Amino acid sequence: MKSLTRLLAATALTLALGSAASAKTLVYCSEASPEGFDPALYTAGTTFDAASRTVYNRLVEFKHGSTEIEPGLADSWTISDDGKEYTFKLHPDVKFQTTDFFTPTRTLNADDVIYSFERQLKSDNPWNQYVNGASWEYASGMGFPDLIKSVEKVDDLTVKFTLTHPEAPFLADLAMDFASILSKEYADKLEADGQQAMLNQQPLGTGPFQFVAYQPDAVIRYKANPDYFKGKQPIDDLIFAITTDASVRAQKLKANECQIFPYPNAADVEGLKSDPNLEVPSQEGLNVAYLAYNTTQAPFDKVEVRKALNMAINKQAIIDAVFQGAATPAKNPIPPTMWSYNDEVKDDAYDPDKAKQMLKDAGVENLSMKIWAMPVSRPYMLNARRAAELMQADLKQVGVNAEIVSYEWGEYLEKSKAKDRDGAVMLGWTGDNGDPDNFLDTLLGCDAVGGNNRAQWCDKEFDDLVKQAKQVSDQEKRADLYEKAQVVFKEKAPWLTIDHSTVFMPMQKSVKNFHQDPLGYHRFDDVDIAE
């Protein structure tokens, strides 16, 4: 069956490539399938690559390879003196994509912006639960339903956001994937036809590429949007060849079956660098990998137990085995390249003897637990299964029996959010907007429990600090609050912080103008390929 599946996938890719042979085509060997094509519903970078960074735009955008904000669908904006009103002037005559499944009759206007946000903010909106169990993880986890008092149409090309209180990272938040702008006209047509679910299967936006077709777990096809408001792209056809095995991705790159791929095995990097047809740029990742204990479940509800487990695990051994040194041990939940990083924090030392005694003192003996290991490569954890095996061996030395479990990627992300989930979940994060809030509140705040906060950890002292930091405009004062929050985090130990990794991006030398992104995005707007 596996051989048949591989054959079907290979055939699908061959057909896709063949049909695009006469055009300028770039094939990207992506690492996994997207969860869907509505970016506001999800949090995985795989999904953002396939949806928000191809099909959609936002009011404001991040400059290529930067965390600096630039105009997107909004040409300009003003912020009131009290920091509560943001007024955006939309770019005129922005066309939505014309596809086989929908032909728009009007250009972008304020109604599209209002629709795109209100569906996430209002539980009585007809689109709020168009996908069963939709939790709008980013919007809810960042407190947007309480933060945004209203989104109003001033005129067709002017929209105003009114906030309940000042929010320092708000503008940067609007450049994030969940803030992508969708077509209300398309949504209205789907609703009238009783086909709302298609919004998550056949995306339609204003972005540089338009969706053509998706064969699950095999191929996603896009073509350049001929009406893109920033100009048609140099690439005519963009193909995502879904290739979960990093070694196979490397083989395809060397054979020029794809021109670029993410997350190579550490052991393959030197061989890729030595290939005269390839280049392998790298950068220090704005990321963290972690093991999140469910702090609401015994015995992980005890700080001393979590601390003991942290001290039982040799993080350096994981870095040596999984990254071959191309990572650093993590002690804080934010990376050292981010402002407000507290280098004074002391990490939990690797000390299995002390860990064993701490567990005994806490009345915990013969503990059995589960370690959840991701089924896909991520920038912050290239091989979760191998990392989990090393953790399993370390824990056995202190009398803890750990079972490794995993699921398909989309199922893994969904199941791991459950408040009654057992064991400890391995996950990680690459910053979305360059602000510490995107790590500290998004992953560990009380609003994110049941969503991005996989530790289900709601600590008032920590939460008060990060919420206060959001409402302060002075960066030095914000940094002081975040530094204090990192101290609280380390004292309470809801996670084992594992690593911050270096990110490699192998590609054919024929690829031009691809920018490695500190936020972990894989963007193909402005990218070209030499013929």
Side-chain angles (χ1 to χ4, degrees):
M1 179 61 75
K2 287 184 179 179
S3 296
L4 177 59
T5 301
R6 285 194 292 268
L7 177 61
L8 289 171
T11 302
L13 179 57
T14 301
L15 289 171
L17 288 170
S19 65
S22 60
K24 187 177 286 190
T25 301
L26 184 135
V27 181
Y28 169 64
C29 277
S30 64
E31 77 285 3
S33 299
E35 303 149 279
F37 289 91
D38 182 347
L41 290 169
Y42 307 108
T43 62
T46 303
T47 300
F48 296 157
D49 289 344
S52 47
R53 299 291 155 178
T54 49
V55 177
Y56 296 111
N57 293 108
R58 288 137 295 280
L59 292 172
V60 294
E61 305 280 11
F62 294 112
K63 287 185 177 180
H64 272 298
S66 168
T67 57
E68 185 180 346
I69 296 294
E70 66 178 4
L73 293 173
D75 284 336
S76 62
W77 53 90
T78 57
I79 305 171
S80 63
D81 291 341
D82 64 2
K84 293 183 181 181
E85 291 185 358
Y86 288 69
T87 303
F88 295 89
K89 288 287 186 180
L90 302 181
H91 190 83
D93 299 320
V94 174
K95 294 181 180 180
F96 282 99
Q97 296 151 358
T98 297
T99 67
D100 292 340
F101 49 87
F102 185 73
T103 300
T105 65
R106 64 165 177 81
T107 55
L108 172 82
N109 67 33
D111 293 332
D112 302 304
V113 178
I114 293 169
Y115 162 75
S116 298
F117 283 92
E118 285 194 343
R119 69 198 186 107
Q120 303 181 57
L121 304 175
K122 296 184 176 182
S123 59
D124 60 350
N125 186 284
W127 284 89
N128 186 260
Q129 289 296 313
Y130 88 95
V131 170
N132 287 336
S135 60
W136 309 104
E137 278 186 66
Y138 266 115
S140 59
M142 295 164 66
F144 266 38
D146 294 326
L147 171 67
I148 299 177
K149 183 178 180 181
S150 64
V151 187
E152 299 172 272
K153 180 178 183 176
V154 178
D155 57 45
D156 275 356
L157 293 179
T158 310
V159 63
K160 181 173 75 172
F161 289 74
T162 301
L163 310 184
T164 57
H165 57 76
E167 181 90 348
F170 184 67
L171 196 62
D173 291 344
L174 293 185
M176 291 168 56
D177 300 82
F178 80 98
S180 295
I181 305 303
L182 283 64
S183 165
K184 184 178 187 299
E185 185 186 22
Y186 177 46
D188 287 345
K189 178 68 164 59
L190 291 174
E191 186 177 4
D193 293 345
Q195 297 288 325
Q196 286 178 281
M198 297 308 293
L199 190 75
N200 196 32
Q201 299 173 38
Q202 292 184 325
L204 183 143
T206 59
F209 296 95
Q210 58 192 58
F211 176 84
V212 175
Y214 172 43
Q215 181 175 343
D217 302 325
V219 178
I220 314 172
R221 291 191 59 207
Y222 309 87
K223 66 179 182 180
N225 176 6
D227 299 318
Y228 186 44
F229 74 105
K230 294 186 179 181
K232 182 186 173 296
Q233 296 302 299
I235 298 168
D236 296 300
D237 293 280
L238 174 64
I239 295 173
F240 279 34
I242 298 165
T243 312
T244 57
D245 189 307
S247 296
V248 176
R249 294 199 295 275
Q251 291 167 12
K252 286 185 175 182
L253 182 72
K254 287 184 174 182
N256 201 25
E257 292 177 17
C258 62
Q259 287 74 53
I260 187 167
F261 83 90
Y263 321 134
N265 287 326
D268 292 338
V269 169
E270 288 307 313
L272 292 166
K273 285 182 176 179
S274 66
D275 189 313
N277 298 313
L278 307 180
E279 58 182 357
V280 188
S282 65
Q283 67 178 197
E284 199 168 354
L286 195 71
N287 61 40
V288 64
Y290 61 81
L291 187 73
Y293 305 108
N294 189 338
T295 60
T296 67
Q297 304 291 312
F300 309 109
D301 56 340
K302 295 182 178 180
V303 172
E304 58 269 33
V305 171
R306 302 195 296 265
K307 283 277 190 182
L309 296 176
N310 285 357
M311 295 173 70
I313 294 172
N314 186 343
K315 293 190 287 193
Q316 188 60 53
I318 293 172
I319 288 167
D320 292 343
V322 174
F323 296 94
Q324 299 198 357
T328 56
K331 63 181 180 180
N332 289 323
I334 64 173
T337 52
M338 176 165 275
W339 63 268
S340 83
Y341 181 82
N342 190 345
D343 202 30
E344 298 302 313
V345 167
K346 301 298 181 186
D347 201 7
D348 297 313
Y350 171 55
D351 191 337
D353 291 336
K354 186 174 181 181
K356 193 171 185 177
Q357 186 61 48
M358 286 174 68
L359 289 172
K360 184 177 181 181
D361 293 345
V364 176
E365 296 186 78
N366 301 316
L367 173 63
S368 293
M369 63 178 287
K370 291 181 179 179
I371 296 175
W372 292 44
M374 298 171 294
V376 297
S377 302
R378 305 307 300 146
Y380 44 77
M381 181 50 66
L382 299 177
N383 189 332
R385 180 78 192 190
R386 179 63 179 136
E389 289 169 351
L390 292 167
M391 293 178 186
Q392 182 184 50
D394 286 342
L395 291 171
K396 187 174 184 179
Q397 296 303 311
V398 300
V400 176
N401 180 40
E403 176 191 358
I404 301 171
V405 298
S406 191
Y407 301 91
E408 180 273 329
W409 184 219
E411 187 179 8
Y412 185 96
L413 292 170
E414 188 62 30
K415 283 180 175 290
S416 64
K417 293 186 291 188
K419 293 183 180 180
D420 61 350
R421 181 213 75 231
D422 57 357
V425 166
M426 197 186 313
L427 263 175
W429 195 255
T430 299
D432 289 294
N433 61 15
D435 196 285
D437 172 77
N438 182 241
F439 284 78
L440 299 175
D441 193 36
T442 300
L443 301 180
L444 293 158
C446 293
D447 288 338
V449 168
N452 283 324
N453 187 340
R454 283 348 195 256
Q456 317 300 344
W457 183 63
C458 180
D459 182 89
K460 187 177 187 305
E461 183 182 6
F462 177 91
D463 204 59
D464 285 349
L465 287 165
V466 297
K467 290 294 192 292
Q468 185 181 345
K470 276 188 172 194
Q471 299 184 42
V472 176
S473 58
D474 182 270
Q475 185 166 311
E476 188 174 337
K477 292 178 181 178
R478 292 187 74 206
D480 180 63
L481 291 165
Y482 287 137
E483 287 171 14
K484 290 176 180 175
Q486 289 166 72
V487 172
V488 176
F489 165 87
K490 205 64 189 180
E491 289 174 350
K492 303 295 178 67
W495 294 353
L496 165 72
T497 48
I498 305 171
D499 70 82
H500 309 292
S501 72
T502 299
V503 179
F504 297 94
M505 197 70 197
M507 65 186 75
Q508 288 280 335
K509 287 183 177 178
S510 58
V511 176
K512 307 299 179 186
N513 300 327
F514 181 89
H515 299 268
Q516 259 196 299
D517 200 303
L519 303 175
Y521 302 131
H522 301 116
R523 292 173 56 180
F524 299 98
D525 51 315
D526 299 334
V527 175
D528 200 354
I529 186 164
E531 294 183 296

